[in-house]
């Protein structure tokens, strides 16, 4: 039902509109008839009606002023303005505010029928567009949820084509499955939110017509994972060989020719269950950029390596020594073990060797933090992605050692926390979406609220509200990545009632707007 407000000082015009019962009763519900402009403005803000028919010369507030104020309050209502005498300037001013219909009062029955029919069609078209957008958003979120898990856990091996299509809205067919991985370097900060979405659009022009599916996954501002599903005679394989040129052309058009990249093309597979292996080989191939140089495309099936194998470097004894040095947070010993292992790596080495070295090293650090296995897997992928942004083995090692020292410092700091503070942090994390207070937390850990506040600040460097905000923002980030909820809904879900306040906090803590964060992680 379409809601309508009538705003007329002219009672005869109101009677004429109400007389059109057979039209109004089908699709329209009149929710108010008002003769005072101020009251009309109040009801528009309160009701957000679909349509308002109003005259210009209302007492209290003129029709044009009402429309202007409604636009200022972001009310999406449609307006029809009526005036007894033709006024060209008034009509122009109304049209500049998005008013499509300016009528001379009293309007005829035929004009009213046309108006109501027009806006009924408008409403239906908007509803259909909204449903279509909801379906597209749901489809995109489902695919992104799969891709995020796939990239971090390579779990596609358990699923068949029919499973993938039904669960995640893919359109996979029997044919070839192949992954590609693009790592950017030197991307200007101003391009971080637009470069990869623009590149995906360009890739769709090139590959959608010849593939069953091309599924992109943007992971941050500088990493793009692609899955291709195509028939053998589609020409996709040949076009994939020119992927580097497509990226470089896009960089030129985007105004950042200094941006470089490395591209890894995974081994083609005959079954969807082998996609995990294809992605793994694509990431391996892309890592050759660190060993052999950037601005090149590395095809896994064409790469040859020296005969040295990862298990010859990452021996059981080396792994035990690494874990021991991590357990005791012996930074010098830990670095020495990694450096000794990396001394065997050359530009012609199998990239699985340095990747294995770093995986074992990252795991040994994360394991002493008592993190669950899934979290260790996910964080390992994040750190490896960060390391992949380096343009040489030397800079990569510097970045990794910086990460190790930071992790050890964090562990030492965490271990300084007393049991009440650790319990308070856990309580806040688990209940951050509720309206919890310092007193609630103090009651939970059996401390006086004032004493807890002082102790919390002394040990963690944060006060209660800062830590609560951090937990809520982390929850919001997860919802933006994984749910189809609007930003306003997420605002309420994580415990805030003011969307503007939530957005300000999000920007302060994350650096971008919630909507921008969703785009970057969708």
């Amino acid at each position: 039902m379409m809601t309508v407000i009538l705003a007329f000082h002219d009672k005869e015009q109101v009677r004429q509109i109400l007389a059109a019962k057979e039209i109004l009763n089908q699709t329209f519900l009149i929710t108010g008839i008002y003769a005072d402009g101020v009251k009309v403005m109040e009801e528009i803000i309160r009701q957000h009606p679909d349509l308002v028919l109003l005259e210009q010369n209302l007492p209290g507030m003129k029709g044009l002023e009402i429309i202007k104020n409604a636009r200022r309050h972001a009310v999406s209502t449609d307006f029809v303005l009526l005036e007894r005498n033709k006024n060209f300037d008034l009509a122009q001013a109304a049209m500049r505010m998005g008013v499509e219909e300016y009528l001379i009062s009293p309007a005829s029955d035929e004009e009213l029928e046309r108006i109501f029919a027009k806006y009924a069609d408008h409403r239906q078209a908007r509803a259909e567009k909204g449903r279509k957008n909801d379906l597209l958003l749901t489809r995109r979120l489902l695919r992104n949820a799969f891709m995020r898990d796939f990239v971090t856990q390579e779990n596609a091996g358990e699923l068949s084509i029919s499973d993938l299509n039904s669960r995640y809205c893919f359109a996979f067919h029997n044919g070839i499955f192949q992954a590609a991985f693009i790592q950017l370097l030197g991307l200007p900060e101003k391009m971080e939110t637009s470069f990869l979405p623009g590149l995906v659009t360009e890739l769709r022009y090139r590959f959608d017509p010849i593939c069953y599916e091309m599924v992109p996954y943007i992971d941050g501002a500088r990493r793009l994972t692609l899955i291709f599903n195509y028939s053998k005679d589609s020409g996709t394989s040949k076009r994939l060989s020119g992927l580097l040129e497509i990226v470089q052309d896009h960089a030129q058009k985007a105004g950042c020719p200094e941006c470089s990249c490395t591209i890894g093309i995974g081994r083609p597979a005959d079954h969807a269950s082998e996609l995990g292996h294809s992605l793994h080989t694509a990431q391996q191939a892309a890592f050759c950029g660190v060993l052999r140089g950037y601005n090149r495309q590395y095809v896994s099936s064409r790469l040859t390596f020296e005969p040295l194998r990862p298990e010859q470097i990452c021996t059981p004894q080396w792994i035990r020594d690494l874990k021991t040095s991590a357990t005791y947070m012996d930074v010098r010993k830990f670095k020495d073990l990694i450096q000794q292992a990396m001394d065997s790596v050359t530009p012609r080495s199998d990239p699985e060797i340095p990747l294995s070295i770093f995986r074992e090293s990252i795991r040994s650090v994360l394991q002493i933090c008592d993190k669950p296995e899934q979290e260790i897997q996910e964080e390992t992928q994040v750190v490896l992605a960060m390391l992949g942004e380096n343009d040489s083995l030397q800079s990569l090692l510097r970045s990794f050692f910086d990460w190790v020292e930071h992790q050890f410092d964090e562990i030492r700091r965490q271990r300084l926390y007393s049991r009440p503070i650790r319990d308070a942090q856990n309580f806040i994390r688990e209940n951050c979406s509720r309206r919890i207070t310092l007193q609630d937390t103090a009651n939970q850990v059996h401390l006086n609220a004032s004493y807890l506040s002082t102790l919390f600040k002394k040990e963690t460097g944060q006060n209660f509200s800062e830590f609560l905000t951090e937990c809520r923002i982390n929850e919001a980030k997860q919802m933006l990545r994984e749910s189809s909820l609007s930003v306003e809904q997420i605002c309420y879900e994580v415990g805030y009632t003011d969307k503007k306040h939530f957005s300000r906090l999000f920007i302060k803590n994350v650096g971008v707007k919630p909507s921008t964060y969703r785009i970057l992680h969708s």
Side-chain angles (χ1 to χ4, degrees), residues 85-101:
N85 301 304
K86 285 185 177 180
N87 185 328
F88 182 72
D89 292 337
L90 178 66
Q92 276 198 322
M95 289 178 184
R96 282 195 294 271
M97 294 180 193
V99 177
E100 296 181 10
E101 295 289 346

Side-chain angles (χ1 to χ4, degrees), residues 174-180 203-215 226-246 265-266 268-269 297 299 302:
N174 289 322
I176 297 173
F177 294 85
Q178 194 166 12
L203 292 172
R204 288 214 175 280
Y205 292 146
R206 308 292 186 97
F207 289 96
D208 277 358
I210 59 175
C211 290
Y212 298 131
E213 277 279 20
M214 185 201 78
V215 187
L226 298 159
I227 288 177
F228 298 91
N229 172 219
Y230 56 92
S231 65
K232 187 176 294 186
D233 57 355
S234 66
T236 302
S237 182
K238 182 178 179 181
R239 191 160 289 184
L240 271 174
S241 64
L243 195 54
L244 177 61
E245 288 72 21
I246 295 174
I265 306 296
Q297 181 166 310
V299 181
R302 300 176 189 167

Side-chain angles (χ1 to χ4, degrees), residues 334-389:
F334 192 84
K335 287 183 177 180
D336 285 346
L337 286 165
I338 295 169
Q339 187 64 66
Q340 288 169 16
M342 292 297 293
D343 285 343
S344 303
V345 176
T346 72
R348 308 304 300 180
S349 292
D350 183 341
E352 186 58 28
I353 293 175
L355 285 171
S356 295
I357 293 170
F358 288 118
R359 282 196 201 97
E360 292 294 344
S361 303
I362 295 164
R363 287 183 65 83
S364 67
V365 172
L366 297 179
Q367 282 174 340
I368 65 173
C369 303
D370 295 324
K371 295 190 177 185
E373 181 60 29
Q374 182 175 348
E375 192 172 333
I376 289 175
Q377 287 183 19
E378 292 174 354
E379 194 161 340
T380 298
Q381 290 296 329
V382 170
V383 179
L384 287 174
M386 176 268 292
L387 297 178
E389 295 179 9

Side-chain angles (χ1 to χ4, degrees), residues 504-520:
R504 284 195 295 269
L505 288 174
F506 195 94
I507 293 169
K508 181 180 178 181
N509 284 268
V510 183
V512 295
K513 295 179 181 178
S515 55
T516 304
Y517 181 87
R518 169 168 274 170
I519 291 169
L520 285 172

Side-chain angles (χ1 to χ4, degrees), residues 383-399:
V383 179
L384 287 174
M386 176 268 292
L387 297 178
E389 295 179 9
N390 291 276
D391 59 359
S392 69
L393 211 52
Q394 289 71 31
S395 63
L396 184 153
L397 278 170
R398 285 195 297 271
S399 295

Side-chain angles (χ1 to χ4, degrees), residues 236-463:
T236 302
S237 182
K238 182 178 179 181
R239 191 160 289 184
L240 271 174
S241 64
L243 195 54
L244 177 61
E245 288 72 21
I246 295 174
V247 177
Q248 290 175 330
D249 287 347
H250 179 68
Q252 289 283 347
K253 292 174 185 175
C256 53
E258 71 279 12
C259 175
S260 57
C261 72
T262 183
I263 298 175
I265 306 296
R267 291 180 179 273
D270 294 329
H271 305 284
S273 60
E274 298 170 354
L275 260 174
H277 178 67
S278 184
L279 173 63
H280 183 69
T281 56
Q283 292 172 333
Q284 276 185 311
F287 197 84
C288 286
V290 178
L291 303 177
R292 304 186 185 186
Y294 265 70
N295 275 331
R296 292 180 61 185
Q297 181 166 310
Y298 299 95
V299 181
S300 179
S301 58
R302 300 176 189 167
L303 291 171
T304 57
F305 308 114
E306 293 172 346
L308 190 66
R309 303 301 305 150
E311 56 270 20
Q312 294 174 269
I313 304 297
C314 301
T315 63
Q317 183 61 53
W318 181 83
I319 293 172
R320 283 194 294 271
D321 291 344
L322 194 70
K323 288 182 177 180
T324 300
S325 62
T327 301
Y328 289 100
M329 287 186 284
D330 186 340
V331 177
R332 178 177 293 181
K333 178 66 173 176
F334 192 84
K335 287 183 177 180
D336 285 346
L337 286 165
I338 295 169
Q339 187 64 66
Q340 288 169 16
M342 292 297 293
D343 285 343
S344 303
V345 176
T346 72
R348 308 304 300 180
S349 292
D350 183 341
E352 186 58 28
I353 293 175
L355 285 171
S356 295
I357 293 170
F358 288 118
R359 282 196 201 97
E360 292 294 344
S361 303
I362 295 164
R363 287 183 65 83
S364 67
V365 172
L366 297 179
Q367 282 174 340
I368 65 173
C369 303
D370 295 324
K371 295 190 177 185
E373 181 60 29
Q374 182 175 348
E375 192 172 333
I376 289 175
Q377 287 183 19
E378 292 174 354
E379 194 161 340
T380 298
Q381 290 296 329
V382 170
V383 179
L384 287 174
M386 176 268 292
L387 297 178
E389 295 179 9
N390 291 276
D391 59 359
S392 69
L393 211 52
Q394 289 71 31
S395 63
L396 184 153
L397 278 170
R398 285 195 297 271
S399 295
F400 182 63
F401 289 152
D402 287 344
W403 177 83
V404 170
E405 291 184 4
H406 174 73
Q407 292 301 310
F408 285 164
D409 287 343
E410 281 293 303
I411 293 167
R412 292 189 187 97
R413 188 169 67 84
Q414 290 287 340
R415 289 180 177 177
L416 293 174
Y417 294 167
S418 61
R419 181 61 182 269
I421 295 304
R422 295 200 302 271
D423 289 346
Q425 288 178 323
N426 290 334
F427 175 75
I428 294 167
R429 288 190 191 99
E430 292 170 4
N431 297 276
C432 64
S433 59
R434 296 172 46 229
R435 293 188 178 183
I436 59 171
T437 64
L438 176 65
Q439 185 63 58
D440 294 331
T441 311
N443 292 341
Q444 187 70 22
V445 299
H446 311 292
L447 289 178
N448 173 274
S450 177
Y451 178 67
L452 174 63
S453 177
T454 302
L455 189 63
F456 200 98
K457 178 70 173 179
K458 180 181 178 181
E459 291 193 19
T460 70
Q462 292 178 297
N463 59 38

Side-chain angles (χ1 to χ4, degrees), residues 461-475:
Q462 292 178 297
N463 59 38
F464 168 81
S465 61
E466 288 170 341
F467 187 75
L468 176 61
T469 298
E470 179 183 297
C471 293
R472 286 175 168 176
I473 296 301
N474 286 337
E475 286 283 316

